[in-house]
Amino acid sequence: MISEALMYIGGILVIIGGICDFFGALGLLRFPHFYVRLHAATVGTIGGAVVPLIGAAILALGCDFLGWIRYPIAGMSFITAILILIVSPTATHALAFAAHRSKAIEWKEKVCDHLEGVKR
Amino acid sequence: MNAENLLFMILMIAFPFYLAAFVLYSIRIVKGPTIFDSVLAVDCLSFDLAAFIAILAIYFRSAFLATSAIILALWAFLLDLYLAKYFLKREVGI
């Protein structure tokens, strides 16, 4: 009974991760320039890698037919999830800082005043 | 519905999303105007491949396959740091 529940939870997390991954990739393709694409990259990385890794860990724990192999697989995928959770923001932050500081990608001001023409 | 059919069904639902995402990432890698865009796409691709490898490790029932996910995730992190360091200081420091 428990393993069925674990398999369902892990499977749902893996599928959610796949959908997040697809939307992150779509965002990375459609967004105008590098700095906006960082958001899509973070969606694709955290939603598309950490969530399915935790789902894979739970799914591995639920699969009884794997025997004892499911424990190392679950442990390793959980460690990878924590690792990516720590590493991914650092990496994208380093990229953004380097892109801005080295002026490889110039920063276009995107501030627009929506309340400009509104009279009280 | 025994456990293996359930696992197979779950994976067959999730696999198309991952493959479509990998194709879109590789399009951005090839098309990327600046090197930062393509390295960002390679970074995301590597992290999602690490997740995909962990899921395949369950499917192929081998614990050794899951070890490569950790190394791939760390490698993607190193790639970003090397690029950032190169663009800031013109040397990578190896």
Side-chain angles (χ1 to χ4, degrees):
Chain A
M1 183 49 205
I2 290 290
S3 63
E4 289 294 321
L6 283 179
M7 276 190 80
Y8 278 115
I9 293 171
I12 288 169
L13 280 179
V14 164
I15 290 167
I16 286 174
I19 294 168
C20 276
D21 191 17
F22 176 69
F23 284 144
L26 208 60
L28 208 68
L29 205 58
R30 298 287 302 166
F31 279 156
H33 61 275
F34 171 73
Y35 296 112
V36 187
R37 281 189 202 121
L38 282 172
H39 170 63
T42 314
V43 166
T45 307
I46 302 296
V50 174
V51 167
L53 273 166
I54 294 172
I58 296 172
L59 190 68
L61 284 178
C63 297
D64 292 336
F65 55 87
L66 287 176
W68 63 273
I69 281 186
R70 62 177 191 264
Y71 299 117
I73 289 180
M76 269 185 269
S77 52
F78 194 69
I79 286 172
T80 315
I82 301 295
L83 212 59
I84 291 182
L85 208 57
I86 295 168
V87 148
S88 160
T90 320
T92 41
H93 182 80
L95 271 184
F97 179 76
H100 182 65
R101 173 59 65 91
S102 69
K103 297 177 183 54
I105 299 158
E106 42 94 15
W107 167 253
K108 293 183 288 294
E109 276 301 311
K110 271 296 176 194
V111 175
C112 69
D113 188 358
H114 287 294
L115 295 180
E116 207 165 352
V118 173
K119 293 181 186 52
R120 271 175 51 85
Chain B
M1 172 78 78
N2 66 1
E4 292 184 26
N5 292 1
L6 182 62
L7 175 75
F8 188 76
M9 191 187 69
I10 289 171
L11 297 191
M12 280 312 127
I13 294 173
F15 274 1
F17 291 111
Y18 283 101
L19 300 183
F22 294 155
V23 169
L24 292 179
Y25 280 130
S26 45
I27 289 174
R28 172 50 63 191
I29 288 173
V30 170
K31 202 175 84 165
T34 64
I35 189 163
F36 280 95
D37 296 308
S38 39
V39 164
L40 186 68
V42 165
D43 177 40
C44 296
L45 183 69
S46 310
F47 282 141
D48 294 340
L49 271 177
F52 194 61
I53 285 174
I55 293 164
L56 285 184
I58 302 171
Y59 182 67
F60 291 130
R61 298 193 182 90
S62 80
F64 302 106
L65 190 55
T67 57
S68 63
I70 301 180
I71 297 161
L72 185 57
L74 288 177
W75 180 85
F77 173 56
L78 274 182
L79 171 69
D80 290 345
L81 290 193
Y82 281 147
L83 184 83
K85 194 161 185 348
Y86 177 73
F87 265 85
L88 284 179
K89 292 189 177 59
R90 283 295 160 233
E91 49 85 23
V92 186
I94 299 173

